[in-house]
Amino acid sequence: MQISTKEIEVRYAETDQMGVVYHANYLVWMELGRTQLIKDLGFNYAEMERDGIISPVIDIQASYKKPLRYGETATINTWVEQYDGFRVEYKYEVLNGAGELALTGSSKHVCVKRENFRPISLKRSYPDWHEAYLQAMKQPVDEGEKV
């Protein structure tokens, strides 16, 4: 599978009173990872939105393993875990600067028409994206890429 990587420097504003990254910020980072993967596959989500298609989250999961703190660098690894032509599940790993697992997560999305939220077939409407997702799931993983 193709794994995209995005690095984020933890900003002070992303931390809570305990000095660790506030839990909801990981969801923002997952979104940054997802859009990076889409970009790495050669596509632009903003162009799809201009076509009147959006991709809402229909399920999300996060499991916190180690805290991240201000000044550290977070690395977000993202890949397509499952895809059926309509729904796509992205998986995420967030690593701290030492390469230790800080979070695992997943988000499930479906593409819908903006005006009525009716699902569309990515396979029919965006065949290039469809093929790219299938290929991204087939690519072998390099040793050490995923924790």
Side-chain angles (χ1 to χ4, degrees):
M1 72 191 69
Q2 179 172 341
I3 299 175
S4 291
T5 300
K6 176 85 174 171
E7 288 192 348
I8 308 259
E9 186 174 330
V10 178
R11 296 164 292 220
Y12 183 77
E14 294 170 320
T15 63
D16 61 17
Q17 189 175 7
M18 296 176 285
V20 300
V21 172
Y22 178 67
H23 68 276
N25 286 311
Y26 288 94
L27 301 179
V28 174
W29 294 354
M30 289 163 59
E31 180 66 14
L32 292 172
R34 183 178 79 89
T35 54
Q36 183 64 52
L37 174 63
I38 290 168
K39 181 179 176 182
D40 290 351
L41 291 174
F43 302 100
N44 184 322
Y45 181 65
E47 289 176 11
M48 183 183 275
E49 284 191 338
R50 282 192 286 277
D51 290 344
I53 305 300
I54 56 176
S55 183
V57 173
I58 58 173
D59 187 48
I60 198 154
Q61 180 275 326
S63 181
Y64 303 93
K65 309 294 183 185
K66 281 188 178 274
L68 279 157
R69 292 180 167 76
Y70 169 66
E72 289 187 291
T73 299
T75 302
I76 298 96
N77 294 323
T78 308
W79 63 95
V80 176
E81 182 71 11
Q82 292 183 345
Y83 169 70
D84 66 7
F86 285 93
R87 289 169 299 279
V88 61
E89 179 182 8
Y90 301 93
K91 288 281 196 159
Y92 310 90
E93 290 178 339
V94 178
L95 309 175
N96 65 18
E100 300 168 317
L101 191 59
L103 175 130
T104 59
S106 67
S107 64
K108 294 179 184 177
H109 301 252
V110 64
C111 289
V112 301
K113 294 180 181 181
R114 180 190 316 267
E115 71 272 1
N116 59 17
F117 268 68
R118 290 223 164 124
I120 65 155
S121 165
L122 204 59
K123 181 178 180 178
R124 243 180 295 148
S125 300
Y126 294 91
D128 293 346
W129 280 44
H130 171 76
E131 286 302 319
Y133 277 17
L134 293 177
Q135 291 304 312
M137 290 190 307
K138 291 180 184 177
Q139 290 184 2
V141 177
D142 291 337
E143 286 302 312
E145 222 173 40
K146 275 179 39 184
V147 172

